Amino acid sequence: MALFLSHMEPLALLYAIPFVYLVLKLWKHLDAKRDQQCYILDYQCFKPTDDRMLDTQLCRDLLMRSKTLGLEEFKFLLKAIVNSGLGEQTYGPSVVFSATEHCPLLLDAISEMDEFFHDSLQKLFDKSHVSPDEIDILVVNISSMSTSPSFASRIINRYKMREDIKVFNISGMGCSASLISIDIVRRLFKSYKNSYAIVVTSESLTPNWYLGNDRSMILANCLFRIGGAAILLTNKRNMKNKAMLKLKCLVRTHHGAVDESYGCCVQKEDDKGNLGIYLGKNLPKAATSAFIDNLTEISPQILPITEIIRLTLSKIIHKLSSTGSWKPQRPDFRTAAEHFCLHTGGKAVIDGVGKSLRLTEQDLEPARMTLHRFGNTSASSLWYVLGYMEAKKRLQKGDRVLMISFGAGFKCNSCLWEVTAADLGGRKGNVWEDCINSYPPVSLVNPFLERFGWIQNQDASTFKSL
């Protein structure tokens, strides 16, 4: 017996070695995954000074300065702005206040971006207590303007960031660019451990303020407004207890190969050489197509298993139904997230996404109020919506936030965040803190209709001006 046991010990050791090796490999893999998480430590939205607000009177002055608009264009603009969902406190580029929108200089466009960079980044560094020389990754997206040196280089120069910083300056990605930037950071975090990253996202309106009379391009002036956001992210495991949000998944959908989708939102010149953003009539169709494909991909990643089983059984019953009277059930995305951070592309966009996801008015309130207060700030709009939720103290630890954005190309990007902070309602510096108590307002009716509704009854032969 003793002899048998003596022969068994080396054999057991022989079997134990690969087992221990596999355990160590598994532990190393799981431990490495912990260093690849993507957390948001803080973010800062930009709010220009109050003298940059585009109220009813200023918009009237802008229209009066135009030499290309006639009665029919005024009627179209009145209808567009009334139905846009924007209020009187949105912000415009400085050139419309200095009456130089007809001849913007390169310096004007750069100054618009510098104003945002200097304000938001400095506030972000001050709040987070993370210094510029600690930043390992910088991703800057300004969709419709590119300079040399790049905007990313301007930021690095101002804050004297390290020479080994990983820097990306992307353009042309439209309103969905901030989630594209987050995806870049997420992928880099898999290779670079213990890192800080900053995403800077905005849009340049100064060179794109349209001065012609093409209706498909006038719309952009009714929707797009000045704004921007700076987001601080990390994959440091020792910072997870200080993080606000943890990224659970992110899905990007691009329909650029489809001609109709590619051409529905384009920066171009009209037939008279006026530069602007063209929004085609087939844009809703392109957005719907990209949205459906994006939801199809992200649904299995975010819906709970009970919801997936329910949908599967519903499809099986539908196929087995001989009469076809049983309709397959639609997914309930409220089982996947408690909050919905939707791109403020316009009232119709918010309504359409809300209907598709079967959301309540409370679910849509953050996006509607952001559109009313700040307008469509392009790629940064998601962070103003998130700021509204935070200011209203709606975000509780463990809650999930589904972000959905659309952009030129045509693209639909979405991601799911998990709230990791215990209290997100009392932070200083929130862009909503001075006005959150007045939202939602009693009415969102735009004052343009009251002031200029008489235009609808005018005759082209007798109409002079506003």
Side-chain angles (χ1 to χ4, degrees), residues 270-304:
D270 65 12
D271 55 3
K272 296 180 181 178
N274 296 301
L275 182 66
I277 305 296
Y278 166 82
L279 303 175
K281 293 182 179 180
N282 59 331
L283 193 153
K285 179 181 178 181
T288 300
S289 177
F291 185 43
I292 291 173
D293 284 355
N294 188 273
L295 287 182
T296 301
E297 185 174 350
I298 199 173
S299 293
Q301 301 182 47
I302 65 176
L303 290 174

mmCIF file of all heavy atoms in Angstrom, residues 270-304:
data_model
loop_
_atom_site.group_PDB
_atom_site.id
_atom_site.type_symbol
_atom_site.label_atom_id
_atom_site.label_comp_id
_atom_site.label_asym_id
_atom_site.label_seq_id
_atom_site.Cartn_x
_atom_site.Cartn_y
_atom_site.Cartn_z
ATOM 1 N N ASP A 270 -24.110 75.947 -51.654
ATOM 2 C CA ASP A 270 -25.287 75.953 -52.529
ATOM 3 C C ASP A 270 -24.881 76.459 -53.913
ATOM 4 O O ASP A 270 -23.696 76.700 -54.185
ATOM 5 C CB ASP A 270 -26.418 76.775 -51.915
ATOM 6 C CG ASP A 270 -26.067 78.262 -51.780
ATOM 7 O OD1 ASP A 270 -25.056 78.697 -52.364
ATOM 8 O OD2 ASP A 270 -26.803 78.985 -51.090
ATOM 9 N N ASP A 271 -25.849 76.642 -54.799
ATOM 10 C CA ASP A 271 -25.524 77.030 -56.176
ATOM 11 C C ASP A 271 -24.973 78.444 -56.293
ATOM 12 O O ASP A 271 -24.510 78.857 -57.358
ATOM 13 C CB ASP A 271 -26.748 76.868 -57.080
ATOM 14 C CG ASP A 271 -27.960 77.632 -56.568
ATOM 15 O OD1 ASP A 271 -27.843 78.339 -55.539
ATOM 16 O OD2 ASP A 271 -29.041 77.519 -57.178
ATOM 17 N N LYS A 272 -25.009 79.205 -55.169
ATOM 18 C CA LYS A 272 -24.453 80.562 -55.184
ATOM 19 C C LYS A 272 -23.164 80.661 -54.371
ATOM 20 O O LYS A 272 -22.662 81.760 -54.128
ATOM 21 C CB LYS A 272 -25.493 81.545 -54.641
ATOM 22 C CG LYS A 272 -26.746 81.639 -55.512
ATOM 23 C CD LYS A 272 -27.750 82.618 -54.945
ATOM 24 C CE LYS A 272 -28.992 82.671 -55.819
ATOM 25 N NZ LYS A 272 -30.025 83.596 -55.256
ATOM 26 N N GLY A 273 -22.680 79.519 -53.913
ATOM 27 C CA GLY A 273 -21.407 79.494 -53.205
ATOM 28 C C GLY A 273 -21.494 79.700 -51.713
ATOM 29 O O GLY A 273 -20.462 79.865 -51.053
ATOM 30 N N ASN A 274 -22.692 79.686 -51.136
ATOM 31 C CA ASN A 274 -22.851 79.852 -49.689
ATOM 32 C C ASN A 274 -22.638 78.509 -48.986
ATOM 33 O O ASN A 274 -23.321 77.523 -49.290
ATOM 34 C CB ASN A 274 -24.251 80.376 -49.360
ATOM 35 C CG ASN A 274 -24.493 81.757 -49.928
ATOM 36 O OD1 ASN A 274 -23.779 82.709 -49.618
ATOM 37 N ND2 ASN A 274 -25.509 81.879 -50.790
ATOM 38 N N LEU A 275 -21.701 78.475 -48.048
ATOM 39 C CA LEU A 275 -21.364 77.249 -47.327
ATOM 40 C C LEU A 275 -22.370 76.993 -46.209
ATOM 41 O O LEU A 275 -22.819 77.913 -45.534
ATOM 42 C CB LEU A 275 -19.963 77.351 -46.737
ATOM 43 C CG LEU A 275 -19.441 76.112 -45.982
ATOM 44 C CD1 LEU A 275 -19.248 74.949 -46.955
ATOM 45 C CD2 LEU A 275 -18.126 76.447 -45.271
ATOM 46 N N GLY A 276 -22.725 75.718 -46.019
ATOM 47 C CA GLY A 276 -23.644 75.366 -44.942
ATOM 48 C C GLY A 276 -23.797 73.865 -44.825
ATOM 49 O O GLY A 276 -23.097 73.088 -45.484
ATOM 50 N N ILE A 277 -24.748 73.447 -43.999
ATOM 51 C CA ILE A 277 -25.034 72.033 -43.786
ATOM 52 C C ILE A 277 -26.345 71.689 -44.484
ATOM 53 O O ILE A 277 -27.390 72.250 -44.162
ATOM 54 C CB ILE A 277 -25.135 71.694 -42.286
ATOM 55 C CG1 ILE A 277 -23.870 72.130 -41.551
ATOM 56 C CG2 ILE A 277 -25.389 70.208 -42.094
ATOM 57 C CD1 ILE A 277 -22.617 71.417 -41.994
ATOM 58 N N TYR A 278 -26.278 70.775 -45.426
ATOM 59 C CA TYR A 278 -27.463 70.330 -46.171
ATOM 60 C C TYR A 278 -28.123 69.172 -45.436
ATOM 61 O O TYR A 278 -27.470 68.191 -45.063
ATOM 62 C CB TYR A 278 -27.044 69.897 -47.575
ATOM 63 C CG TYR A 278 -28.098 69.112 -48.325
ATOM 64 C CD1 TYR A 278 -29.135 69.759 -48.987
ATOM 65 C CD2 TYR A 278 -28.041 67.715 -48.371
ATOM 66 C CE1 TYR A 278 -30.104 69.033 -49.688
ATOM 67 C CE2 TYR A 278 -28.999 66.986 -49.071
ATOM 68 C CZ TYR A 278 -30.030 67.651 -49.714
ATOM 69 O OH TYR A 278 -30.985 66.932 -50.397
ATOM 70 N N LEU A 279 -29.425 69.282 -45.171
ATOM 71 C CA LEU A 279 -30.206 68.225 -44.529
ATOM 72 C C LEU A 279 -31.277 67.767 -45.518
ATOM 73 O O LEU A 279 -32.252 68.475 -45.759
ATOM 74 C CB LEU A 279 -30.848 68.743 -43.237
ATOM 75 C CG LEU A 279 -29.886 69.325 -42.186
ATOM 76 C CD1 LEU A 279 -30.660 69.906 -41.012
ATOM 77 C CD2 LEU A 279 -28.899 68.261 -41.712
ATOM 78 N N GLY A 280 -31.081 66.610 -46.109
ATOM 79 C CA GLY A 280 -31.968 66.118 -47.146
ATOM 80 C C GLY A 280 -33.276 65.561 -46.620
ATOM 81 O O GLY A 280 -33.414 65.223 -45.440
ATOM 82 N N LYS A 281 -34.265 65.447 -47.521
ATOM 83 C CA LYS A 281 -35.582 64.937 -47.144
ATOM 84 C C LYS A 281 -35.544 63.458 -46.767
ATOM 85 O O LYS A 281 -36.424 62.971 -46.051
ATOM 86 C CB LYS A 281 -36.571 65.145 -48.294
ATOM 87 C CG LYS A 281 -36.892 66.606 -48.574
ATOM 88 C CD LYS A 281 -37.907 66.742 -49.701
ATOM 89 C CE LYS A 281 -38.250 68.204 -49.961
ATOM 90 N NZ LYS A 281 -39.242 68.359 -51.061
ATOM 91 N N ASN A 282 -34.528 62.733 -47.257
ATOM 92 C CA ASN A 282 -34.439 61.311 -46.941
ATOM 93 C C ASN A 282 -33.662 61.041 -45.659
ATOM 94 O O ASN A 282 -33.367 59.889 -45.326
ATOM 95 C CB ASN A 282 -33.784 60.553 -48.102
ATOM 96 C CG ASN A 282 -32.376 61.055 -48.411
ATOM 97 O OD1 ASN A 282 -32.080 62.228 -48.188
ATOM 98 N ND2 ASN A 282 -31.540 60.189 -48.937
ATOM 99 N N LEU A 283 -33.326 62.108 -44.906
ATOM 100 C CA LEU A 283 -32.596 61.927 -43.651
ATOM 101 C C LEU A 283 -33.369 61.053 -42.654
ATOM 102 O O LEU A 283 -32.775 60.159 -42.040
ATOM 103 C CB LEU A 283 -32.251 63.291 -43.042
ATOM 104 C CG LEU A 283 -31.232 63.304 -41.907
ATOM 105 C CD1 LEU A 283 -30.510 64.651 -41.873
ATOM 106 C CD2 LEU A 283 -31.862 63.047 -40.547
ATOM 107 N N PRO A 284 -34.679 61.282 -42.435
ATOM 108 C CA PRO A 284 -35.408 60.413 -41.491
ATOM 109 C C PRO A 284 -35.347 58.936 -41.875
ATOM 110 O O PRO A 284 -35.215 58.067 -41.004
ATOM 111 C CB PRO A 284 -36.845 60.951 -41.560
ATOM 112 C CG PRO A 284 -36.697 62.378 -41.981
ATOM 113 C CD PRO A 284 -35.549 62.375 -42.927
ATOM 114 N N LYS A 285 -35.431 58.654 -43.184
ATOM 115 C CA LYS A 285 -35.365 57.267 -43.639
ATOM 116 C C LYS A 285 -33.985 56.680 -43.346
ATOM 117 O O LYS A 285 -33.869 55.520 -42.891
ATOM 118 C CB LYS A 285 -35.664 57.203 -45.142
ATOM 119 C CG LYS A 285 -35.602 55.804 -45.717
ATOM 120 C CD LYS A 285 -35.885 55.823 -47.216
ATOM 121 C CE LYS A 285 -35.765 54.425 -47.810
ATOM 122 N NZ LYS A 285 -36.008 54.421 -49.281
ATOM 123 N N ALA A 286 -32.935 57.453 -43.607
ATOM 124 C CA ALA A 286 -31.572 56.980 -43.350
ATOM 125 C C ALA A 286 -31.346 56.752 -41.863
ATOM 126 O O ALA A 286 -30.712 55.766 -41.459
ATOM 127 C CB ALA A 286 -30.557 57.991 -43.887
ATOM 128 N N ALA A 287 -31.862 57.672 -41.041
ATOM 129 C CA ALA A 287 -31.713 57.538 -39.592
ATOM 130 C C ALA A 287 -32.436 56.301 -39.083
ATOM 131 O O ALA A 287 -31.911 55.563 -38.232
ATOM 132 C CB ALA A 287 -32.248 58.791 -38.899
ATOM 133 N N THR A 288 -33.633 56.058 -39.598
ATOM 134 C CA THR A 288 -34.410 54.892 -39.172
ATOM 135 C C THR A 288 -33.691 53.596 -39.509
ATOM 136 O O THR A 288 -33.614 52.671 -38.694
ATOM 137 C CB THR A 288 -35.801 54.909 -39.840
ATOM 138 O OG1 THR A 288 -36.492 56.103 -39.464
ATOM 139 C CG2 THR A 288 -36.612 53.692 -39.420
ATOM 140 N N SER A 289 -33.150 53.525 -40.719
ATOM 141 C CA SER A 289 -32.442 52.323 -41.153
ATOM 142 C C SER A 289 -31.225 52.042 -40.280
ATOM 143 O O SER A 289 -31.003 50.905 -39.829
ATOM 144 C CB SER A 289 -32.010 52.480 -42.615
ATOM 145 O OG SER A 289 -31.274 51.363 -43.046
ATOM 146 N N ALA A 290 -30.426 53.085 -40.015
ATOM 147 C CA ALA A 290 -29.233 52.911 -39.174
ATOM 148 C C ALA A 290 -29.625 52.573 -37.741
ATOM 149 O O ALA A 290 -28.974 51.766 -37.065
ATOM 150 C CB ALA A 290 -28.388 54.178 -39.209
ATOM 151 N N PHE A 291 -30.698 53.188 -37.270
ATOM 152 C CA PHE A 291 -31.191 52.965 -35.908
ATOM 153 C C PHE A 291 -31.615 51.508 -35.713
ATOM 154 O O PHE A 291 -31.267 50.868 -34.717
ATOM 155 C CB PHE A 291 -32.364 53.910 -35.643
ATOM 156 C CG PHE A 291 -32.908 53.871 -34.246
ATOM 157 C CD1 PHE A 291 -32.073 53.829 -33.148
ATOM 158 C CD2 PHE A 291 -34.277 53.900 -34.024
ATOM 159 C CE1 PHE A 291 -32.575 53.814 -31.857
ATOM 160 C CE2 PHE A 291 -34.800 53.888 -32.752
ATOM 161 C CZ PHE A 291 -33.941 53.834 -31.664
ATOM 162 N N ILE A 292 -32.356 50.975 -36.671
ATOM 163 C CA ILE A 292 -32.827 49.589 -36.579
ATOM 164 C C ILE A 292 -31.651 48.618 -36.540
ATOM 165 O O ILE A 292 -31.603 47.686 -35.725
ATOM 166 C CB ILE A 292 -33.771 49.259 -37.759
ATOM 167 C CG1 ILE A 292 -35.084 50.032 -37.613
ATOM 168 C CG2 ILE A 292 -34.047 47.761 -37.827
ATOM 169 C CD1 ILE A 292 -36.009 49.896 -38.804
ATOM 170 N N ASP A 293 -30.673 48.829 -37.430
ATOM 171 C CA ASP A 293 -29.514 47.941 -37.458
ATOM 172 C C ASP A 293 -28.710 48.030 -36.170
ATOM 173 O O ASP A 293 -28.189 47.020 -35.665
ATOM 174 C CB ASP A 293 -28.622 48.285 -38.652
ATOM 175 C CG ASP A 293 -29.194 47.790 -39.968
ATOM 176 O OD1 ASP A 293 -30.235 47.105 -39.935
ATOM 177 O OD2 ASP A 293 -28.622 48.098 -41.032
ATOM 178 N N ASN A 294 -28.593 49.238 -35.628
ATOM 179 C CA ASN A 294 -27.851 49.417 -34.389
ATOM 180 C C ASN A 294 -28.545 48.718 -33.223
ATOM 181 O O ASN A 294 -27.904 48.030 -32.417
ATOM 182 C CB ASN A 294 -27.683 50.913 -34.094
ATOM 183 C CG ASN A 294 -26.760 51.169 -32.919
ATOM 184 O OD1 ASN A 294 -27.193 51.189 -31.775
ATOM 185 N ND2 ASN A 294 -25.482 51.375 -33.202
ATOM 186 N N LEU A 295 -29.865 48.869 -33.134
ATOM 187 C CA LEU A 295 -30.617 48.219 -32.058
ATOM 188 C C LEU A 295 -30.547 46.702 -32.171
ATOM 189 O O LEU A 295 -30.475 45.995 -31.153
ATOM 190 C CB LEU A 295 -32.082 48.666 -32.090
ATOM 191 C CG LEU A 295 -32.390 50.085 -31.616
ATOM 192 C CD1 LEU A 295 -33.896 50.332 -31.661
ATOM 193 C CD2 LEU A 295 -31.869 50.335 -30.211
ATOM 194 N N THR A 296 -30.557 46.204 -33.403
ATOM 195 C CA THR A 296 -30.474 44.757 -33.610
ATOM 196 C C THR A 296 -29.187 44.190 -33.046
ATOM 197 O O THR A 296 -29.166 43.092 -32.481
ATOM 198 C CB THR A 296 -30.570 44.437 -35.121
ATOM 199 O OG1 THR A 296 -31.807 44.944 -35.634
ATOM 200 C CG2 THR A 296 -30.489 42.940 -35.361
ATOM 201 N N GLU A 297 -28.100 44.965 -33.157
ATOM 202 C CA GLU A 297 -26.810 44.493 -32.664
ATOM 203 C C GLU A 297 -26.644 44.674 -31.163
ATOM 204 O O GLU A 297 -26.090 43.809 -30.482
ATOM 205 C CB GLU A 297 -25.673 45.215 -33.398
ATOM 206 C CG GLU A 297 -24.295 44.693 -33.027
ATOM 207 C CD GLU A 297 -23.179 45.302 -33.846
ATOM 208 O OE1 GLU A 297 -23.487 45.994 -34.843
ATOM 209 O OE2 GLU A 297 -22.002 45.096 -33.500
ATOM 210 N N ILE A 298 -27.126 45.787 -30.632
ATOM 211 C CA ILE A 298 -26.888 46.047 -29.216
ATOM 212 C C ILE A 298 -27.896 45.343 -28.313
ATOM 213 O O ILE A 298 -27.604 45.070 -27.139
ATOM 214 C CB ILE A 298 -26.892 47.571 -28.917
ATOM 215 C CG1 ILE A 298 -26.191 47.843 -27.568
ATOM 216 C CG2 ILE A 298 -28.303 48.138 -28.911
ATOM 217 C CD1 ILE A 298 -25.993 49.305 -27.262
ATOM 218 N N SER A 299 -29.071 45.014 -28.838
ATOM 219 C CA SER A 299 -30.121 44.411 -28.012
ATOM 220 C C SER A 299 -29.667 43.166 -27.256
ATOM 221 O O SER A 299 -29.889 43.060 -26.045
ATOM 222 C CB SER A 299 -31.350 44.091 -28.871
ATOM 223 O OG SER A 299 -31.960 45.261 -29.345
ATOM 224 N N PRO A 300 -29.032 42.180 -27.916
ATOM 225 C CA PRO A 300 -28.614 40.986 -27.177
ATOM 226 C C PRO A 300 -27.599 41.273 -26.073
ATOM 227 O O PRO A 300 -27.460 40.484 -25.135
ATOM 228 C CB PRO A 300 -28.004 40.088 -28.262
ATOM 229 C CG PRO A 300 -28.553 40.605 -29.546
ATOM 230 C CD PRO A 300 -28.728 42.076 -29.346
ATOM 231 N N GLN A 301 -26.902 42.414 -26.188
ATOM 232 C CA GLN A 301 -25.878 42.739 -25.200
ATOM 233 C C GLN A 301 -26.433 43.444 -23.970
ATOM 234 O O GLN A 301 -25.802 43.426 -22.915
ATOM 235 C CB GLN A 301 -24.802 43.629 -25.843
ATOM 236 C CG GLN A 301 -24.111 43.017 -27.046
ATOM 237 C CD GLN A 301 -23.031 43.920 -27.603
ATOM 238 O OE1 GLN A 301 -22.204 44.467 -26.866
ATOM 239 N NE2 GLN A 301 -23.026 44.090 -28.932
ATOM 240 N N ILE A 302 -27.607 44.058 -24.109
ATOM 241 C CA ILE A 302 -28.118 44.864 -22.994
ATOM 242 C C ILE A 302 -29.441 44.371 -22.429
ATOM 243 O O ILE A 302 -29.759 44.657 -21.270
ATOM 244 C CB ILE A 302 -28.257 46.346 -23.403
ATOM 245 C CG1 ILE A 302 -29.318 46.526 -24.505
ATOM 246 C CG2 ILE A 302 -26.923 46.916 -23.848
ATOM 247 C CD1 ILE A 302 -29.568 47.982 -24.875
ATOM 248 N N LEU A 303 -30.226 43.633 -23.207
ATOM 249 C CA LEU A 303 -31.521 43.162 -22.711
ATOM 250 C C LEU A 303 -31.316 42.010 -21.727
ATOM 251 O O LEU A 303 -30.453 41.145 -21.941
ATOM 252 C CB LEU A 303 -32.406 42.692 -23.860
ATOM 253 C CG LEU A 303 -32.953 43.767 -24.798
ATOM 254 C CD1 LEU A 303 -33.692 43.125 -25.970
ATOM 255 C CD2 LEU A 303 -33.877 44.735 -24.057
ATOM 256 N N PRO A 304 -32.086 41.968 -20.654
ATOM 257 C CA PRO A 304 -31.974 40.852 -19.702
ATOM 258 C C PRO A 304 -32.423 39.545 -20.340
ATOM 259 O O PRO A 304 -33.201 39.542 -21.300
ATOM 260 C CB PRO A 304 -32.900 41.273 -18.557
ATOM 261 C CG PRO A 304 -33.861 42.238 -19.166
ATOM 262 C CD PRO A 304 -33.099 42.956 -20.236
#
